[in-house]
Every structure is written in structure tokens, then in C-alpha cells.
Short mmCIF file of all heavy atoms in Angstrom, two decimals:
data_model
loop_
_atom_site.label_atom_id
_atom_site.label_comp_id
_atom_site.label_asym_id
_atom_site.label_seq_id
_atom_site.Cartn_x
_atom_site.Cartn_y
_atom_site.Cartn_z
N ALA O 1386 -130.46 19.17 50.87
CA ALA O 1386 -129.53 19.71 51.88
C ALA O 1386 -129.53 21.23 51.86
O ALA O 1386 -130.10 21.88 50.99
CB ALA O 1386 -128.13 19.16 51.63
N THR O 1387 -128.86 21.80 52.87
CA THR O 1387 -128.63 23.25 52.94
C THR O 1387 -127.17 23.51 52.61
O THR O 1387 -126.27 22.87 53.18
CB THR O 1387 -128.97 23.79 54.33
OG1 THR O 1387 -130.36 23.62 54.58
CG2 THR O 1387 -128.62 25.27 54.44
N LEU O 1388 -126.93 24.45 51.71
CA LEU O 1388 -125.58 24.83 51.35
C LEU O 1388 -125.20 26.12 52.05
O LEU O 1388 -125.90 27.13 51.93
CB LEU O 1388 -125.48 25.04 49.83
CG LEU O 1388 -124.16 25.64 49.31
CD1 LEU O 1388 -123.00 24.69 49.54
CD2 LEU O 1388 -124.28 26.00 47.83
N TYR O 1389 -124.11 26.08 52.80
CA TYR O 1389 -123.56 27.28 53.44
C TYR O 1389 -122.34 27.70 52.62
O TYR O 1389 -121.38 26.92 52.48
CB TYR O 1389 -123.14 27.00 54.88
CG TYR O 1389 -124.32 26.69 55.78
CD1 TYR O 1389 -124.80 25.39 55.91
CD2 TYR O 1389 -124.96 27.71 56.49
CE1 TYR O 1389 -125.89 25.10 56.72
CE2 TYR O 1389 -126.05 27.43 57.30
CZ TYR O 1389 -126.51 26.13 57.39
OH TYR O 1389 -127.60 25.85 58.20
N VAL O 1390 -122.38 28.90 52.07
CA VAL O 1390 -121.28 29.36 51.23
C VAL O 1390 -120.95 30.80 51.60
O VAL O 1390 -121.84 31.63 51.82
CB VAL O 1390 -121.63 29.21 49.73
CG1 VAL O 1390 -122.85 30.04 49.35
CG2 VAL O 1390 -120.45 29.57 48.85
N THR O 1391 -119.68 31.11 51.71
CA THR O 1391 -119.26 32.41 52.23
C THR O 1391 -119.53 33.56 51.27
O THR O 1391 -119.63 34.70 51.69
CB THR O 1391 -117.76 32.37 52.58
OG1 THR O 1391 -117.01 31.99 51.41
CG2 THR O 1391 -117.50 31.36 53.69
N LEU O 1392 -119.64 33.25 49.97
CA LEU O 1392 -119.88 34.28 48.95
C LEU O 1392 -120.95 33.78 47.99
O LEU O 1392 -121.04 32.59 47.70
CB LEU O 1392 -118.59 34.57 48.18
CG LEU O 1392 -118.65 35.67 47.11
CD1 LEU O 1392 -118.85 37.04 47.75
CD2 LEU O 1392 -117.36 35.67 46.28
N GLU O 1393 -121.75 34.71 47.50
CA GLU O 1393 -122.81 34.39 46.54
C GLU O 1393 -122.29 33.50 45.40
O GLU O 1393 -121.28 33.81 44.77
CB GLU O 1393 -123.34 35.70 45.95
CG GLU O 1393 -124.33 35.52 44.82
CD GLU O 1393 -124.71 36.85 44.17
OE1 GLU O 1393 -124.16 37.90 44.58
OE2 GLU O 1393 -125.59 36.84 43.28
N PRO O 1394 -122.96 32.40 45.10
CA PRO O 1394 -122.54 31.53 43.99
C PRO O 1394 -122.60 32.27 42.65
O PRO O 1394 -123.49 33.08 42.42
CB PRO O 1394 -123.55 30.38 44.04
CG PRO O 1394 -124.06 30.37 45.44
CD PRO O 1394 -124.08 31.81 45.86
N CYS O 1395 -121.65 31.97 41.79
CA CYS O 1395 -121.61 32.62 40.48
C CYS O 1395 -122.66 32.02 39.55
O CYS O 1395 -123.06 30.87 39.70
CB CYS O 1395 -120.22 32.48 39.85
SG CYS O 1395 -119.74 30.78 39.48
N ALA O 1396 -123.10 32.84 38.59
CA ALA O 1396 -124.14 32.41 37.65
C ALA O 1396 -123.67 32.57 36.21
O ALA O 1396 -124.49 32.61 35.29
CB ALA O 1396 -125.42 33.20 37.88
N HIS O 1397 -122.37 32.66 35.98
CA HIS O 1397 -121.85 32.90 34.64
C HIS O 1397 -120.82 31.83 34.29
O HIS O 1397 -120.22 31.20 35.15
CB HIS O 1397 -121.18 34.28 34.57
CG HIS O 1397 -120.00 34.42 35.48
ND1 HIS O 1397 -120.14 34.66 36.83
CD2 HIS O 1397 -118.67 34.32 35.25
CE1 HIS O 1397 -118.95 34.72 37.39
NE2 HIS O 1397 -118.04 34.51 36.45
N ASP O 1398 -120.63 31.64 33.00
CA ASP O 1398 -119.60 30.73 32.51
C ASP O 1398 -118.27 31.46 32.49
O ASP O 1398 -118.15 32.56 31.92
CB ASP O 1398 -119.94 30.25 31.10
CG ASP O 1398 -121.00 29.16 31.11
OD1 ASP O 1398 -120.68 28.04 31.56
OD2 ASP O 1398 -122.14 29.43 30.67
N GLY O 1399 -117.26 30.85 33.10
CA GLY O 1399 -115.91 31.39 33.07
C GLY O 1399 -114.96 30.24 32.80
O GLY O 1399 -115.19 29.42 31.91
N ARG O 1400 -113.89 30.17 33.58
CA ARG O 1400 -112.97 29.04 33.45
C ARG O 1400 -113.58 27.78 34.01
O ARG O 1400 -113.11 26.67 33.74
CB ARG O 1400 -111.65 29.37 34.16
CG ARG O 1400 -110.91 30.54 33.51
CD ARG O 1400 -109.78 31.08 34.36
NE ARG O 1400 -108.65 30.17 34.42
CZ ARG O 1400 -107.50 30.44 35.05
NH1 ARG O 1400 -107.36 31.63 35.64
NH2 ARG O 1400 -106.51 29.58 35.07
N THR O 1401 -114.63 27.94 34.82
CA THR O 1401 -115.41 26.82 35.34
C THR O 1401 -116.90 27.11 35.12
O THR O 1401 -117.28 28.27 34.95
CB THR O 1401 -115.15 26.61 36.85
OG1 THR O 1401 -115.47 27.83 37.54
CG2 THR O 1401 -113.68 26.27 37.11
N PRO O 1402 -117.76 26.08 35.11
CA PRO O 1402 -119.19 26.31 34.88
C PRO O 1402 -119.84 27.08 36.04
O PRO O 1402 -119.27 27.17 37.14
CB PRO O 1402 -119.76 24.88 34.79
CG PRO O 1402 -118.58 23.98 34.59
CD PRO O 1402 -117.43 24.66 35.24
N PRO O 1403 -121.04 27.64 35.82
CA PRO O 1403 -121.73 28.38 36.87
C PRO O 1403 -122.04 27.49 38.08
O PRO O 1403 -122.55 26.36 37.91
CB PRO O 1403 -123.02 28.86 36.20
CG PRO O 1403 -122.76 28.74 34.74
CD PRO O 1403 -121.79 27.62 34.56
N CYS O 1404 -121.78 27.99 39.26
CA CYS O 1404 -122.07 27.22 40.47
C CYS O 1404 -123.58 27.12 40.70
O CYS O 1404 -124.05 26.13 41.25
CB CYS O 1404 -121.40 27.87 41.67
SG CYS O 1404 -119.60 27.69 41.67
N THR O 1405 -124.34 28.12 40.30
CA THR O 1405 -125.79 28.08 40.48
C THR O 1405 -126.40 26.88 39.77
O THR O 1405 -127.29 26.22 40.30
CB THR O 1405 -126.44 29.37 39.96
OG1 THR O 1405 -125.96 29.63 38.63
CG2 THR O 1405 -126.10 30.54 40.84
N ARG O 1406 -125.91 26.61 38.56
CA ARG O 1406 -126.43 25.48 37.79
C ARG O 1406 -126.18 24.16 38.54
O ARG O 1406 -127.06 23.29 38.61
CB ARG O 1406 -125.76 25.43 36.41
CG ARG O 1406 -126.34 24.40 35.45
CD ARG O 1406 -125.50 24.34 34.20
NE ARG O 1406 -125.37 25.65 33.57
CZ ARG O 1406 -124.45 25.93 32.66
NH1 ARG O 1406 -123.56 25.01 32.29
NH2 ARG O 1406 -124.40 27.14 32.12
N ALA O 1407 -124.97 24.03 39.12
CA ALA O 1407 -124.65 22.81 39.85
C ALA O 1407 -125.49 22.67 41.11
O ALA O 1407 -125.94 21.57 41.45
CB ALA O 1407 -123.16 22.80 40.20
N VAL O 1408 -125.72 23.79 41.81
CA VAL O 1408 -126.52 23.77 43.04
C VAL O 1408 -127.95 23.36 42.73
O VAL O 1408 -128.55 22.51 43.43
CB VAL O 1408 -126.48 25.15 43.72
CG1 VAL O 1408 -127.47 25.22 44.89
CG2 VAL O 1408 -125.06 25.45 44.22
N ILE O 1409 -128.52 23.92 41.69
CA ILE O 1409 -129.91 23.60 41.31
C ILE O 1409 -130.02 22.15 40.86
O ILE O 1409 -130.94 21.42 41.28
CB ILE O 1409 -130.38 24.56 40.20
CG1 ILE O 1409 -130.46 25.99 40.76
CG2 ILE O 1409 -131.74 24.12 39.65
CD1 ILE O 1409 -130.58 27.06 39.68
N SER O 1410 -129.09 21.69 40.03
CA SER O 1410 -129.13 20.32 39.53
C SER O 1410 -128.97 19.30 40.64
O SER O 1410 -129.54 18.19 40.56
CB SER O 1410 -128.02 20.11 38.49
OG SER O 1410 -128.18 20.97 37.38
N ALA O 1411 -128.23 19.65 41.68
CA ALA O 1411 -128.01 18.71 42.79
C ALA O 1411 -129.22 18.60 43.71
O ALA O 1411 -129.26 17.72 44.57
CB ALA O 1411 -126.79 19.15 43.60
N GLY O 1412 -130.20 19.50 43.56
CA GLY O 1412 -131.39 19.44 44.39
C GLY O 1412 -131.24 20.06 45.76
O GLY O 1412 -131.97 19.71 46.69
N VAL O 1413 -130.31 21.00 45.89
CA VAL O 1413 -130.14 21.70 47.17
C VAL O 1413 -131.42 22.48 47.49
O VAL O 1413 -131.98 23.15 46.63
CB VAL O 1413 -128.92 22.64 47.11
CG1 VAL O 1413 -128.87 23.54 48.34
CG2 VAL O 1413 -127.63 21.83 46.98
N ARG O 1414 -131.89 22.35 48.73
CA ARG O 1414 -133.16 22.95 49.12
C ARG O 1414 -132.99 24.41 49.56
O ARG O 1414 -133.84 25.25 49.29
CB ARG O 1414 -133.77 22.13 50.27
CG ARG O 1414 -135.08 22.70 50.83
CD ARG O 1414 -135.59 21.81 51.97
NE ARG O 1414 -134.62 21.73 53.04
CZ ARG O 1414 -134.54 22.62 54.04
NH1 ARG O 1414 -135.35 23.67 54.07
NH2 ARG O 1414 -133.64 22.46 54.98
N ARG O 1415 -131.88 24.70 50.25
CA ARG O 1415 -131.68 26.03 50.82
C ARG O 1415 -130.22 26.42 50.67
O ARG O 1415 -129.32 25.57 50.77
CB ARG O 1415 -132.08 26.03 52.30
CG ARG O 1415 -131.89 27.35 53.05
CD ARG O 1415 -132.45 27.26 54.46
NE ARG O 1415 -132.19 28.46 55.24
CZ ARG O 1415 -131.45 28.51 56.35
NH1 ARG O 1415 -130.93 27.40 56.85
NH2 ARG O 1415 -131.26 29.65 56.98
N CYS O 1416 -129.98 27.71 50.45
CA CYS O 1416 -128.62 28.22 50.32
C CYS O 1416 -128.45 29.40 51.27
O CYS O 1416 -129.19 30.39 51.18
CB CYS O 1416 -128.33 28.64 48.88
SG CYS O 1416 -126.63 29.20 48.60
N VAL O 1417 -127.49 29.31 52.17
CA VAL O 1417 -127.19 30.38 53.12
C VAL O 1417 -125.89 31.03 52.67
O VAL O 1417 -124.85 30.38 52.58
CB VAL O 1417 -127.06 29.83 54.56
CG1 VAL O 1417 -126.75 30.97 55.52
CG2 VAL O 1417 -128.32 29.09 54.97
N VAL O 1418 -125.96 32.32 52.36
CA VAL O 1418 -124.84 33.06 51.77
C VAL O 1418 -124.29 34.05 52.79
O VAL O 1418 -125.05 34.80 53.41
CB VAL O 1418 -125.31 33.81 50.50
CG1 VAL O 1418 -124.18 34.66 49.94
CG2 VAL O 1418 -125.82 32.82 49.46
N GLY O 1419 -122.97 34.07 52.91
CA GLY O 1419 -122.35 35.02 53.82
C GLY O 1419 -122.51 36.46 53.34
O GLY O 1419 -123.00 37.32 54.07
#
């Protein structure tokens, strides 16, 4: 799928895991960033 997200996904561990890791693991093909 294509992910449309208004802000660049985070790539660091904080109070929640990195969004980049979840996007890659889910097999998203394309990411459109606002």
C-alpha cells in the first residue's frame, strides 16, 4: 500500500516505538509525506 502521512515518520525510540520500523515491517511500498 501507499502511506500518506502529514509529517515525516519518526525513526527513534521514545514513549512509543519508531514508526519507520512499523512501516517497513508492514510491507508498505510507498510513503507520501506532507
Side-chain angles (χ1 to χ4, degrees):
T1387 296
L1388 171 66
Y1389 294 88
V1390 61
T1391 57
L1392 183 68
E1393 173 186 3
C1395 64
H1397 63 281
D1398 282 290
R1400 296 167 71 176
T1401 58
C1404 289
T1405 50
R1406 188 187 304 163
V1408 171
I1409 293 166
S1410 299
V1413 170
R1414 177 181 60 86
R1415 178 175 175 242
C1416 183
V1417 180
V1418 176

